[in-house]
Amino acid sequence: MDLVVLQNWLDNISFAILFSTMLIYWVGAAFPGIPYLGALGTAGMAVANLSIAALLGSRWIEAGYFPLSNLYESLFFLVWGITAIHLVAENMSRSRLVGVATSPVAMAISAFAALTLPATMQSAEPLVPALKSNWLMMHVSVMMLSYSTLMVGALLAIAFLIVTRGQKIELTGSSFGTNSNRNGNYRLQRPQNPEPQAETSADSASAFSEPSFNSNNNGLGTTAVLELATVQTPSTAPNQTAELLSPQRLNLAETLDNISYRIIGLGFPLLTVGIIAGAVWANEAWGSYWSWDPKETWALITWLVFAAYLHARITRGWQGRRPAILAATGFVVVWICYLGVNLLGKGLHSYGWFF
């Protein structure tokens, strides 16, 4: 079969699979009692990942160079990275909500690449002299992997904000910083014994009737079950109780917060290595390590945003809503760095102009 025809089939098949997978995850989230939907969603993501890998491989064979030279190829490489990191995150969290967040983004990117880009931008062309370098694979592939990893981590942070309805909660997981000083309206703790316990504390500013917990094994580990949490503050009536989150939401929020932190912690070193490799390549190609090209500037902004996220979590002890908002901001910044600058800006990294 002609490799060009095979590529056309594979990009359309990957889009169709991702669209079906998105629907499976959404139906599974709306009707959690339906069996096998979680397994079907995971299988769909795996098949889509393999289809895109075959697409990129055939492209590599046809063109004779690593397929990251134009927007079409980089978009599908980005989708491949998102689906791969999705499988890692889903295996770590055991939650369908990961697919609910990541599958629409992967599907939208593949639809844009396969159905929207003109044929001239999809076809493989000979490399320009500046791209005929081994740094093409080293720099661009690492940058694209960092983008996909940071996007998945940021999407999980956005899912955390949706699950918690933007409320301030206090979590006790394995992602504590060194200066953890938290005070929130909701607490989730994993008990050391199965007997329910109750604690009461009060100070001059507010009085908390602490929740009691008992242990519940759902097959994935010990889950803290919140039985009662009453919050009274001077601004509320004595008998007025704050709106509570269900134990399931609190447990899911802790998982999303922890997995998001770990995924972003993986993507940040990749971004750092990619920027350093790009600087070395720029010095070889253009005679300067850094020229403040729009792409370089926004790559630095992206690095600073996620550096601030990790700094806040590791040294300041941030957890929950505040770092999730910072990660959600990083999601927007990554898209500006990757696509916005390339299509709307004029620079050495531009793919073209929309206007």
PDB file of all heavy atoms in Angstrom, residues 180-208:
ATOM      1  N   SER A 180       4.577  22.837  55.000  1.00  0.00           N
ATOM      2  CA  SER A 180       3.140  22.622  54.881  1.00  0.00           C
ATOM      3  C   SER A 180       2.430  23.221  56.079  1.00  0.00           C
ATOM      4  O   SER A 180       2.546  22.751  57.195  1.00  0.00           O
ATOM      5  CB  SER A 180       2.846  21.118  54.783  1.00  0.00           C
ATOM      6  OG  SER A 180       3.404  20.434  55.862  1.00  0.00           O
ATOM      7  N   ASN A 181       1.679  24.264  55.820  1.00  0.00           N
ATOM      8  CA  ASN A 181       0.886  24.920  56.858  1.00  0.00           C
ATOM      9  C   ASN A 181      -0.480  25.201  56.253  1.00  0.00           C
ATOM     10  O   ASN A 181      -0.701  26.200  55.608  1.00  0.00           O
ATOM     11  CB  ASN A 181       1.543  26.227  57.304  1.00  0.00           C
ATOM     12  CG  ASN A 181       0.744  26.900  58.392  1.00  0.00           C
ATOM     13  OD1 ASN A 181      -0.121  26.280  58.998  1.00  0.00           O
ATOM     14  ND2 ASN A 181       1.027  28.183  58.624  1.00  0.00           N
ATOM     15  N   ARG A 182      -1.397  24.217  56.386  1.00  0.00           N
ATOM     16  CA  ARG A 182      -2.662  24.304  55.701  1.00  0.00           C
ATOM     17  C   ARG A 182      -3.799  24.525  56.691  1.00  0.00           C
ATOM     18  O   ARG A 182      -3.793  23.993  57.781  1.00  0.00           O
ATOM     19  CB  ARG A 182      -2.907  23.032  54.904  1.00  0.00           C
ATOM     20  CG  ARG A 182      -1.831  22.766  53.877  1.00  0.00           C
ATOM     21  CD  ARG A 182      -2.260  21.630  53.022  1.00  0.00           C
ATOM     22  NE  ARG A 182      -1.467  20.465  53.044  1.00  0.00           N
ATOM     23  CZ  ARG A 182      -0.162  20.350  53.132  1.00  0.00           C
ATOM     24  NH1 ARG A 182       0.583  21.363  53.311  1.00  0.00           N
ATOM     25  NH2 ARG A 182       0.428  19.210  53.076  1.00  0.00           N
ATOM     26  N   ASN A 183      -4.767  25.279  56.258  1.00  0.00           N
ATOM     27  CA  ASN A 183      -5.960  25.497  57.068  1.00  0.00           C
ATOM     28  C   ASN A 183      -7.132  25.643  56.120  1.00  0.00           C
ATOM     29  O   ASN A 183      -7.278  26.637  55.445  1.00  0.00           O
ATOM     30  CB  ASN A 183      -5.815  26.757  57.923  1.00  0.00           C
ATOM     31  CG  ASN A 183      -7.018  26.952  58.825  1.00  0.00           C
ATOM     32  OD1 ASN A 183      -7.790  26.022  59.028  1.00  0.00           O
ATOM     33  ND2 ASN A 183      -7.167  28.146  59.345  1.00  0.00           N
ATOM     34  N   GLY A 184      -7.941  24.622  55.992  1.00  0.00           N
ATOM     35  CA  GLY A 184      -9.035  24.649  55.039  1.00  0.00           C
ATOM     36  C   GLY A 184     -10.331  24.220  55.678  1.00  0.00           C
ATOM     37  O   GLY A 184     -10.392  23.819  56.831  1.00  0.00           O
ATOM     38  N   ASN A 185     -11.384  24.283  54.912  1.00  0.00           N
ATOM     39  CA  ASN A 185     -12.697  23.923  55.416  1.00  0.00           C
ATOM     40  C   ASN A 185     -12.966  22.430  55.347  1.00  0.00           C
ATOM     41  O   ASN A 185     -13.870  21.938  55.979  1.00  0.00           O
ATOM     42  CB  ASN A 185     -13.774  24.661  54.620  1.00  0.00           C
ATOM     43  CG  ASN A 185     -13.691  26.151  54.845  1.00  0.00           C
ATOM     44  OD1 ASN A 185     -13.179  26.583  55.859  1.00  0.00           O
ATOM     45  ND2 ASN A 185     -14.181  26.924  53.885  1.00  0.00           N
ATOM     46  N   TYR A 186     -12.198  21.707  54.524  1.00  0.00           N
ATOM     47  CA  TYR A 186     -12.404  20.279  54.360  1.00  0.00           C
ATOM     48  C   TYR A 186     -11.093  19.564  54.606  1.00  0.00           C
ATOM     49  O   TYR A 186     -10.040  20.016  54.183  1.00  0.00           O
ATOM     50  CB  TYR A 186     -12.910  19.952  52.942  1.00  0.00           C
ATOM     51  CG  TYR A 186     -14.206  20.631  52.616  1.00  0.00           C
ATOM     52  CD1 TYR A 186     -14.206  21.824  51.895  1.00  0.00           C
ATOM     53  CD2 TYR A 186     -15.414  20.104  53.045  1.00  0.00           C
ATOM     54  CE1 TYR A 186     -15.399  22.460  51.599  1.00  0.00           C
ATOM     55  CE2 TYR A 186     -16.599  20.736  52.754  1.00  0.00           C
ATOM     56  CZ  TYR A 186     -16.586  21.918  52.034  1.00  0.00           C
ATOM     57  OH  TYR A 186     -17.748  22.543  51.742  1.00  0.00           O
ATOM     58  N   ARG A 187     -11.170  18.425  55.261  1.00  0.00           N
ATOM     59  CA  ARG A 187      -9.972  17.651  55.513  1.00  0.00           C
ATOM     60  C   ARG A 187     -10.237  16.214  55.103  1.00  0.00           C
ATOM     61  O   ARG A 187     -11.312  15.680  55.312  1.00  0.00           O
ATOM     62  CB  ARG A 187      -9.581  17.690  56.991  1.00  0.00           C
ATOM     63  CG  ARG A 187      -9.336  19.087  57.516  1.00  0.00           C
ATOM     64  CD  ARG A 187      -8.806  19.061  58.919  1.00  0.00           C
ATOM     65  NE  ARG A 187      -7.469  18.499  58.936  1.00  0.00           N
ATOM     66  CZ  ARG A 187      -6.778  18.303  60.053  1.00  0.00           C
ATOM     67  NH1 ARG A 187      -7.296  18.614  61.213  1.00  0.00           N
ATOM     68  NH2 ARG A 187      -5.567  17.794  60.016  1.00  0.00           N
ATOM     69  N   LEU A 188      -9.207  15.572  54.542  1.00  0.00           N
ATOM     70  CA  LEU A 188      -9.289  14.164  54.194  1.00  0.00           C
ATOM     71  C   LEU A 188      -8.066  13.470  54.750  1.00  0.00           C
ATOM     72  O   LEU A 188      -6.940  13.803  54.394  1.00  0.00           O
ATOM     73  CB  LEU A 188      -9.326  13.985  52.668  1.00  0.00           C
ATOM     74  CG  LEU A 188      -9.440  12.532  52.186  1.00  0.00           C
ATOM     75  CD1 LEU A 188     -10.746  11.939  52.665  1.00  0.00           C
ATOM     76  CD2 LEU A 188      -9.334  12.449  50.683  1.00  0.00           C
ATOM     77  N   GLN A 189      -8.269  12.537  55.656  1.00  0.00           N
ATOM     78  CA  GLN A 189      -7.157  11.851  56.299  1.00  0.00           C
ATOM     79  C   GLN A 189      -7.343  10.347  56.147  1.00  0.00           C
ATOM     80  O   GLN A 189      -8.468   9.854  56.139  1.00  0.00           O
ATOM     81  CB  GLN A 189      -7.066  12.202  57.784  1.00  0.00           C
ATOM     82  CG  GLN A 189      -6.767  13.675  58.027  1.00  0.00           C
ATOM     83  CD  GLN A 189      -6.712  13.986  59.495  1.00  0.00           C
ATOM     84  OE1 GLN A 189      -7.337  13.300  60.291  1.00  0.00           O
ATOM     85  NE2 GLN A 189      -5.988  15.021  59.857  1.00  0.00           N
ATOM     86  N   ARG A 190      -6.232   9.659  56.048  1.00  0.00           N
ATOM     87  CA  ARG A 190      -6.273   8.205  56.009  1.00  0.00           C
ATOM     88  C   ARG A 190      -6.004   7.674  57.415  1.00  0.00           C
ATOM     89  O   ARG A 190      -4.948   7.944  57.996  1.00  0.00           O
ATOM     90  CB  ARG A 190      -5.235   7.667  55.019  1.00  0.00           C
ATOM     91  CG  ARG A 190      -5.523   8.129  53.613  1.00  0.00           C
ATOM     92  CD  ARG A 190      -4.593   7.432  52.619  1.00  0.00           C
ATOM     93  NE  ARG A 190      -4.831   7.899  51.275  1.00  0.00           N
ATOM     94  CZ  ARG A 190      -5.807   7.499  50.506  1.00  0.00           C
ATOM     95  NH1 ARG A 190      -6.654   6.605  50.949  1.00  0.00           N
ATOM     96  NH2 ARG A 190      -5.962   7.972  49.285  1.00  0.00           N
ATOM     97  N   PRO A 191      -6.921   6.935  57.987  1.00  0.00           N
ATOM     98  CA  PRO A 191      -6.800   6.530  59.391  1.00  0.00           C
ATOM     99  C   PRO A 191      -5.774   5.429  59.579  1.00  0.00           C
ATOM    100  O   PRO A 191      -5.508   4.641  58.688  1.00  0.00           O
ATOM    101  CB  PRO A 191      -8.205   6.030  59.720  1.00  0.00           C
ATOM    102  CG  PRO A 191      -8.731   5.529  58.409  1.00  0.00           C
ATOM    103  CD  PRO A 191      -8.138   6.428  57.358  1.00  0.00           C
ATOM    104  N   GLN A 192      -5.206   5.374  60.781  1.00  0.00           N
ATOM    105  CA  GLN A 192      -4.284   4.316  61.152  1.00  0.00           C
ATOM    106  C   GLN A 192      -5.017   3.107  61.722  1.00  0.00           C
ATOM    107  O   GLN A 192      -4.467   2.029  61.794  1.00  0.00           O
ATOM    108  CB  GLN A 192      -3.266   4.833  62.190  1.00  0.00           C
ATOM    109  CG  GLN A 192      -2.436   6.004  61.688  1.00  0.00           C
ATOM    110  CD  GLN A 192      -1.604   5.616  60.496  1.00  0.00           C
ATOM    111  OE1 GLN A 192      -1.116   4.492  60.414  1.00  0.00           O
ATOM    112  NE2 GLN A 192      -1.427   6.539  59.554  1.00  0.00           N
ATOM    113  N   ASN A 193      -6.284   3.300  62.175  1.00  0.00           N
ATOM    114  CA  ASN A 193      -7.074   2.191  62.694  1.00  0.00           C
ATOM    115  C   ASN A 193      -8.488   2.350  62.175  1.00  0.00           C
ATOM    116  O   ASN A 193      -8.928   3.432  61.809  1.00  0.00           O
ATOM    117  CB  ASN A 193      -7.051   2.188  64.223  1.00  0.00           C
ATOM    118  CG  ASN A 193      -7.520   3.526  64.791  1.00  0.00           C
ATOM    119  OD1 ASN A 193      -8.686   3.868  64.666  1.00  0.00           O
ATOM    120  ND2 ASN A 193      -6.598   4.270  65.407  1.00  0.00           N
ATOM    121  N   PRO A 194      -9.255   1.262  62.101  1.00  0.00           N
ATOM    122  CA  PRO A 194     -10.587   1.322  61.521  1.00  0.00           C
ATOM    123  C   PRO A 194     -11.651   1.903  62.409  1.00  0.00           C
ATOM    124  O   PRO A 194     -12.782   2.042  61.997  1.00  0.00           O
ATOM    125  CB  PRO A 194     -10.878  -0.150  61.202  1.00  0.00           C
ATOM    126  CG  PRO A 194     -10.090  -0.912  62.218  1.00  0.00           C
ATOM    127  CD  PRO A 194      -8.849  -0.106  62.453  1.00  0.00           C
ATOM    128  N   GLU A 195     -11.312   2.229  63.671  1.00  0.00           N
ATOM    129  CA  GLU A 195     -12.328   2.726  64.585  1.00  0.00           C
ATOM    130  C   GLU A 195     -12.576   4.201  64.338  1.00  0.00           C
ATOM    131  O   GLU A 195     -11.638   4.990  64.210  1.00  0.00           O
ATOM    132  CB  GLU A 195     -11.867   2.511  66.025  1.00  0.00           C
ATOM    133  CG  GLU A 195     -11.729   1.037  66.396  1.00  0.00           C
ATOM    134  CD  GLU A 195     -13.033   0.291  66.282  1.00  0.00           C
ATOM    135  OE1 GLU A 195     -14.072   0.931  66.567  1.00  0.00           O
ATOM    136  OE2 GLU A 195     -13.027  -0.895  65.903  1.00  0.00           O
ATOM    137  N   PRO A 196     -13.816   4.629  64.247  1.00  0.00           N
ATOM    138  CA  PRO A 196     -14.103   6.049  64.059  1.00  0.00           C
ATOM    139  C   PRO A 196     -13.682   6.857  65.261  1.00  0.00           C
ATOM    140  O   PRO A 196     -13.815   6.433  66.400  1.00  0.00           O
ATOM    141  CB  PRO A 196     -15.625   6.091  63.849  1.00  0.00           C
ATOM    142  CG  PRO A 196     -16.130   4.829  64.465  1.00  0.00           C
ATOM    143  CD  PRO A 196     -15.043   3.809  64.338  1.00  0.00           C
ATOM    144  N   GLN A 197     -13.121   8.040  64.980  1.00  0.00           N
ATOM    145  CA  GLN A 197     -12.688   8.927  66.032  1.00  0.00           C
ATOM    146  C   GLN A 197     -13.218  10.311  65.761  1.00  0.00           C
ATOM    147  O   GLN A 197     -13.454  10.679  64.632  1.00  0.00           O
ATOM    148  CB  GLN A 197     -11.159   8.985  66.097  1.00  0.00           C
ATOM    149  CG  GLN A 197     -10.525   7.635  66.391  1.00  0.00           C
ATOM    150  CD  GLN A 197      -9.009   7.740  66.366  1.00  0.00           C
ATOM    151  OE1 GLN A 197      -8.479   8.784  66.004  1.00  0.00           O
ATOM    152  NE2 GLN A 197      -8.347   6.673  66.755  1.00  0.00           N
ATOM    153  N   ALA A 198     -13.387  11.085  66.790  1.00  0.00           N
ATOM    154  CA  ALA A 198     -13.871  12.449  66.642  1.00  0.00           C
ATOM    155  C   ALA A 198     -12.984  13.373  67.448  1.00  0.00           C
ATOM    156  O   ALA A 198     -12.550  13.031  68.540  1.00  0.00           O
ATOM    157  CB  ALA A 198     -15.323  12.578  67.132  1.00  0.00           C
ATOM    158  N   GLU A 199     -12.703  14.513  66.867  1.00  0.00           N
ATOM    159  CA  GLU A 199     -11.877  15.510  67.538  1.00  0.00           C
ATOM    160  C   GLU A 199     -12.588  16.835  67.488  1.00  0.00           C
ATOM    161  O   GLU A 199     -13.326  17.117  66.565  1.00  0.00           O
ATOM    162  CB  GLU A 199     -10.506  15.624  66.860  1.00  0.00           C
ATOM    163  CG  GLU A 199      -9.715  14.332  66.890  1.00  0.00           C
ATOM    164  CD  GLU A 199      -8.383  14.496  66.154  1.00  0.00           C
ATOM    165  OE1 GLU A 199      -8.165  15.595  65.611  1.00  0.00           O
ATOM    166  OE2 GLU A 199      -7.603  13.545  66.140  1.00  0.00           O
ATOM    167  N   THR A 200     -12.318  17.643  68.492  1.00  0.00           N
ATOM    168  CA  THR A 200     -12.924  18.973  68.521  1.00  0.00           C
ATOM    169  C   THR A 200     -11.851  19.968  68.876  1.00  0.00           C
ATOM    170  O   THR A 200     -11.081  19.740  69.803  1.00  0.00           O
ATOM    171  CB  THR A 200     -14.061  19.044  69.557  1.00  0.00           C
ATOM    172  OG1 THR A 200     -15.015  18.042  69.256  1.00  0.00           O
ATOM    173  CG2 THR A 200     -14.722  20.428  69.527  1.00  0.00           C
ATOM    174  N   SER A 201     -11.768  21.040  68.125  1.00  0.00           N
ATOM    175  CA  SER A 201     -10.804  22.098  68.412  1.00  0.00           C
ATOM    176  C   SER A 201     -11.469  23.425  68.219  1.00  0.00           C
ATOM    177  O   SER A 201     -12.398  23.552  67.432  1.00  0.00           O
ATOM    178  CB  SER A 201      -9.574  21.976  67.496  1.00  0.00           C
ATOM    179  OG  SER A 201      -9.967  22.130  66.167  1.00  0.00           O
ATOM    180  N   ALA A 202     -10.988  24.415  68.929  1.00  0.00           N
ATOM    181  CA  ALA A 202     -11.587  25.742  68.827  1.00  0.00           C
ATOM    182  C   ALA A 202     -10.515  26.772  69.077  1.00  0.00           C
ATOM    183  O   ALA A 202      -9.561  26.537  69.796  1.00  0.00           O
ATOM    184  CB  ALA A 202     -12.720  25.913  69.858  1.00  0.00           C
ATOM    185  N   ASP A 203     -10.673  27.937  68.479  1.00  0.00           N
ATOM    186  CA  ASP A 203      -9.819  29.070  68.762  1.00  0.00           C
ATOM    187  C   ASP A 203     -10.681  30.315  68.730  1.00  0.00           C
ATOM    188  O   ASP A 203     -11.880  30.258  68.546  1.00  0.00           O
ATOM    189  CB  ASP A 203      -8.638  29.161  67.784  1.00  0.00           C
ATOM    190  CG  ASP A 203      -9.083  29.163  66.342  1.00  0.00           C
ATOM    191  OD1 ASP A 203     -10.194  29.677  66.081  1.00  0.00           O
ATOM    192  OD2 ASP A 203      -8.325  28.672  65.501  1.00  0.00           O
ATOM    193  N   SER A 204     -10.038  31.464  68.896  1.00  0.00           N
ATOM    194  CA  SER A 204     -10.793  32.708  68.997  1.00  0.00           C
ATOM    195  C   SER A 204     -11.401  33.127  67.686  1.00  0.00           C
ATOM    196  O   SER A 204     -12.317  33.936  67.671  1.00  0.00           O
ATOM    197  CB  SER A 204      -9.853  33.817  69.485  1.00  0.00           C
ATOM    198  OG  SER A 204      -8.757  33.955  68.590  1.00  0.00           O
ATOM    199  N   ALA A 205     -10.900  32.595  66.528  1.00  0.00           N
ATOM    200  CA  ALA A 205     -11.406  33.038  65.232  1.00  0.00           C
ATOM    201  C   ALA A 205     -12.500  32.126  64.718  1.00  0.00           C
ATOM    202  O   ALA A 205     -13.469  32.581  64.131  1.00  0.00           O
ATOM    203  CB  ALA A 205     -10.269  33.109  64.210  1.00  0.00           C
ATOM    204  N   SER A 206     -12.364  30.816  64.900  1.00  0.00           N
ATOM    205  CA  SER A 206     -13.355  29.887  64.336  1.00  0.00           C
ATOM    206  C   SER A 206     -13.364  28.621  65.161  1.00  0.00           C
ATOM    207  O   SER A 206     -12.415  28.300  65.870  1.00  0.00           O
ATOM    208  CB  SER A 206     -13.018  29.572  62.871  1.00  0.00           C
ATOM    209  OG  SER A 206     -11.750  28.957  62.788  1.00  0.00           O
ATOM    210  N   ALA A 207     -14.447  27.857  65.046  1.00  0.00           N
ATOM    211  CA  ALA A 207     -14.593  26.595  65.760  1.00  0.00           C
ATOM    212  C   ALA A 207     -14.928  25.517  64.750  1.00  0.00           C
ATOM    213  O   ALA A 207     -15.871  25.673  63.987  1.00  0.00           O
ATOM    214  CB  ALA A 207     -15.704  26.697  66.821  1.00  0.00           C
ATOM    215  N   PHE A 208     -14.192  24.406  64.761  1.00  0.00           N
ATOM    216  CA  PHE A 208     -14.402  23.309  63.825  1.00  0.00           C
ATOM    217  C   PHE A 208     -14.840  22.078  64.602  1.00  0.00           C
ATOM    218  O   PHE A 208     -14.190  21.693  65.575  1.00  0.00           O
ATOM    219  CB  PHE A 208     -13.101  22.976  63.062  1.00  0.00           C
ATOM    220  CG  PHE A 208     -12.666  24.071  62.125  1.00  0.00           C
ATOM    221  CD1 PHE A 208     -11.857  25.100  62.572  1.00  0.00           C
ATOM    222  CD2 PHE A 208     -13.064  24.065  60.801  1.00  0.00           C
ATOM    223  CE1 PHE A 208     -11.455  26.096  61.731  1.00  0.00           C
ATOM    224  CE2 PHE A 208     -12.662  25.061  59.950  1.00  0.00           C
ATOM    225  CZ  PHE A 208     -11.857  26.076  60.407  1.00  0.00           C
TER     226      PHE A 208
END
